[in-house]
Amino acid sequence: MIELTRLNQKKIFINPDLVKSIEETPDTIISMVNGDQYLVLEKPPEIVEKIIDFRVSIVRRADNPSYLVKVAPQAEGA
């Protein structure tokens, strides 16, 4: 999920995999694949950067699964 700011200054988290389009009119409108639309303060380039950062974090976690799972220490003699 990425964090964005609505026009009323409230935070919203959206799933970037469901973003259909981002338009600046001059407010930024994010259209989702299900038809929902959100007006946000962030400009399109900033939103695209957040989406890229989100996807990079997924790849990093996939490359290092120990980051997600704590491995229990082995008992002596095991």
Side-chain angles (χ1 to χ4, degrees), residues 8-37:
N8 64 3
Q9 301 295 324
K10 298 219 175 189
K11 298 295 181 184
I12 182 174
F13 292 84
I14 66 166
N15 182 341
D17 295 329
L18 301 179
V19 171
K20 180 179 180 183
S21 64
I22 303 170
E23 182 179 3
E24 190 172 8
T25 67
D27 293 327
T28 303
I29 302 170
I30 300 175
S31 297
M32 309 299 280
V33 295
N34 67 355
D36 289 351
Q37 291 187 327

Side-chain angles (χ1 to χ4, degrees), residues 7 20 28 35 37 41-42 44 47 52 54 56-57 60 62-63 66 73-75 78:
L7 298 183
K20 180 179 180 183
T28 303
Q37 291 187 327
L41 293 175
E42 291 82 1
I47 297 168
I52 291 168
F54 171 77
V56 165
S57 74
R60 284 188 181 145
D63 286 345
S66 64
Q74 295 289 324

